[in-house]
Structure formats: structure tokens, C-alpha cells
Amino acid sequence: MALYQDNELRIYNSIKGEKEVFKSITEGRIGMYVCGPTVYSNVHLGNCRTFISFDMVFRYLKHLGYKTRYVRNITDAGHLTDDADEGEDKISKKARLEKIEPMEVVQQYTLDFHTVMKQFNAYPPSIEPTATGHIVEQIEIIKTIMKNGYAYEKNGSIYFNVVKFNEDHEYGKLSGRNLEDMMANSRELAAQSDKENPADFALWKKASPEHIMRWPSPWGDGFPGWHLECTVMSSKYLGETFDIHGGGMDLKFPHHECEIAQGEAAHGHSPVNYWMHANMLTLNGQKMSKSTGNSILPVELFTGENDFMQKAFAPSVVRFFMMQAHYRSILDFSNDAILAAEKGFNRLTEAMKVMDKLPVSKTSSIDLSSWKAKCYAAMNDDFNTPILIAELFDAVKMIHSINDGNATITASDLADLQETMNAFFFDVLGLQDAKEEGSASLNKGMDGAMKLIIDLRATARANKDWSTSDKIRDELAAAGISLKDGADGTSYSVD
């Protein structure tokens, strides 16, 4: 029997403003969509927190035995500067500044995003669709929304008619905003726009002559609206209504609000049952911002090459730090806070090593079943990782007590303790031993250094500089590194 059948999971549903008992649309299966990055720059630590939070959600759902399809998109077109309907596409702007093709920008920063998420030990999503790969579907859904009377064409652009939609539905129910107030606050922009109403938003934008990223459509060359992309990709891979939609708190309005409107306008019903939003990460008590210099990239944290932290920190320590706060709470990143997290992380990992060598007895003096129940209760309460971690530290006390001879545990209970600790530490929280991470990083660095040395030796051999070639080989051998020349080149091994 799957674990989810014995665990009542409660999720804070942003659209209801309260925790609700989770019930999947299909028994034992879950569809989850999370808004992915717009790939025009290096992914920053605040974005990483959102993706790490939903990686934890994905991991726990899998742990409970749900067959989970996790879709997280790549926005590689259509996201305008300042999240508005006017202005320039972020990727096109970057391409113009660097004098390269937009897809070079996309490739560079998509690879960076994947590298960083792998360093954080995040699972890849089940499907990672791109906006540019779904232009046809976006054009088709625009046709449907227009046919249903909720969109109009103006000078080659298509806009969603929020006022008309609000007559039949409720625009603003996710963010708690009132349409009249939104209209009043944005009236001054109305005269400068093709929109019939200032609250309307673009489904398709006409491309100006200099706009690089453009596609043919029934309304002329253009590009899709940012909000539309997620509606299309989520419904294509998860259905017109699916279980969970996640993203950062900053996306609640306008992005997710517009997604709801588009879904209801196209399909006639709500697209999502449970809306989840992860909160922001601040740095030294202030919002992270590139323009003010109050920001830090993950690689700067891992290498220690930054102006905020006194040393480098392993990715698992950073991930552990993030897991110490609830995903819906604001988390402040500071030197003192991450140092404290590192101490706690090391204490936990050392105890797990002690756990593997604990002596066993014929009786147990610990209440293991009660402790396990508390671990699951924490995660079932809207994925409460800080409470789970507190329970893991209670297990640390148990481990040391047994190791010191002040408590006893049977072989079967020890196996259960080990299985549970490993499940929550590695599988659910997604943590790794920081020393193993450092070893992997060291091996990667050694590979790079050895490639350089082997290339230098190859150059010496090509120039018939045998003394240099032999000197490199002999001194490496003295250091315990053997070179082997073969048909496919030179390889090395550590003795």
C-alpha cells in the first residue's frame, strides 16, 4: 500500500487563503506545474529558493508513492522588461546588447540554470517545455479565446478583454485585487496603448521591424504574451485542470492571475485545484537586487568569491539553510545565518555516520513510532521542513544517547531508524554529505588540471622535447599519478 493512503496531506491553497486536505484528481497520480526561469541571465539565489522548494515538494510527493508528472518550463521568448505589455523582450534585449543570436543567450543561461540546479541536487522535471517550442499551440488557444468573446485584435496585437471576462468570471480572485481599483490605478496609461481597457493584457504582440524573435500568425508577425505560454504548456502536458501550480510569490499577480483568466476563458473552468507560492529570499535584511548590488549568485557562494560571506559554502549547506525555513516564509540570507546552518548540518551528518555503527540490544528504550509519526506530521502540514528538521535533531539526541550507552535499540528498530533518517535527509530534503560534494568538486578540478598537463606533455612530445615529456611523466609518477599513452590519447590514474 502506498504511503499516501496513510498520510493526510494538507496544502496551503493560495486561492483559498487556507490549508486544505489534498486530494488528487486521479487516484495515485499528480500533475504539478511550476513556472521556470526566463533565461536571459544567470539564475540568482532567490530564484533558486523557489525551485529548491518545489523540488522538495516533488520529492515528498514521490516519497508518498504518488506517480507525479512535474512540468517546469523554460521561458525563452515573450517575457517583456518590467513584466509589462510594452517594452522589449528580455532575451532579445540581451542578444542586442551582446551582439549575438537570441538562441545563444537562451542556450548559455539554460545550461547555467541546469548546472546550478544539479549542484543543488534538484531532480530534473518530468517535462521541461520551452515557450518557443509551443508557438502553434499558443496561436490556437488565442483563436479559441477570441471565439469565446474574451479577446480582440488591435493593430496586429491580440489583447485579453479583462472587463468582458469579469462579467462572467472573477478576475483578481487569486491576488485579492479588485478590477475597478486596478482600472483606476492604471488609467493614465490608457491613452498610450492599443488596449480597450487599461487592465487588459497581451496574448500576442505585433513585432516591430527591429524585433528579432518573431513568428508568423493570422494577425501578422509577432510573438506570444508571457502569461499565455504557461497556460498552453501546463494544459498540454497536464490537462485543462490539474492538481498543483507553483511559483514564486512575485508571480501571483499578474502572471498567475492572468493564467487563471486565460484557462477559464479558453476551457470554461478553473485550470488548477491548488495554487502554491514560495516566498522571497532577502540578503542582509534587504530585497535582493542586481541594480543596488545587493545580490549573490550561487557560484559566488560555492566558491566564496563574494563580498557578503566570510567563506565558501557547499551547495547542500545552502540547501539545508533554505529548508530550515518554511517555503511560505521570507528567509533572510546572511553570513551569521549560513554559518549557524553549516554547524547544524555538520552535526546532523556526523550523527548519521554514528547511527550506522550503533550497538543493538534485545530491547528498545526509545519510542521510534512516535518520532516517525511526528516527522510525517510535519511534512503533511503543508511541507513544514523546519519542523521536520527539528524532529531529525531529536533523532540526533537519540543516536548519541544510544551510542553513549544511555539508551537501547533493537536491530529491527535501528534498521527502521536508518531507513527513516535516510529517507528524509537524502530523498525528501534532497541533502548530500558536504564532504562528498567537496570530493566530487575536487575530482572535477583535478580532471581539468590533468588535461592541461597532458596537453603540455603532448606539445613537448610533438616538438621532440623528450626531456620535458619525461620530466612531466616522472614527477607525476612520484606524486602517485600514472600516465598511460594509448591509441585514443593519454589517460591518467591515481595510484
Side-chain angles (χ1 to χ4, degrees), residues 310-311 313 317 321 334-344:
Q310 70 182 57
K311 62 189 283 291
F313 294 94
V317 170
F321 170 76
S334 69
N335 185 67
D336 289 346
I338 189 69
L339 281 171
E342 185 178 51
K343 287 180 181 177

Side-chain angles (χ1 to χ4, degrees), residues 15 74 76 100 113 125 172 196 201 205 230 240 296 314 316 377-378 414 417 473 482 484 495:
I15 202 164
I74 294 289
D76 57 354
I100 58 176
F113 173 65
E196 291 181 3
F201 58 89
K205 287 290 293 181
C230 286
E240 292 179 2
I296 188 170
S316 264
L414 177 57
L417 174 63
R473 182 198 61 210
S482 300
K484 183 178 180 180
D495 301 335

Side-chain angles (χ1 to χ4, degrees), residues 176-234:
R177 302 190 182 207
N178 178 278
L179 180 58
E180 291 182 1
D181 292 341
M182 286 188 270
M183 297 274 280
N185 291 336
S186 53
R187 269 195 211 290
E188 66 274 9
L189 300 175
Q192 306 166 24
S193 171
D194 289 334
K195 301 176 187 179
E196 291 181 3
N197 310 293
D200 294 351
F201 58 89
L203 299 176
W204 185 265
K205 287 290 293 181
K206 179 182 179 180
S208 59
E210 67 276 8
H211 198 92
I212 310 171
M213 303 183 82
R214 56 203 297 140
W215 292 266
S217 80
W219 317 286
D221 282 3
F223 55 95
W226 170 40
H227 313 307
L228 189 71
E229 299 167 356
C230 286
T231 291
V232 163
M233 290 183 279
S234 61

Side-chain angles (χ1 to χ4, degrees), residues 2 4-5 23-30 66-67 243:
Y4 69 80
Q5 294 172 308
K23 184 172 177 56
S24 60
I25 295 169
T26 304
E27 169 73 21
R29 293 176 176 267
I30 292 177
Y66 284 107
K67 188 173 178 59
D243 297 296

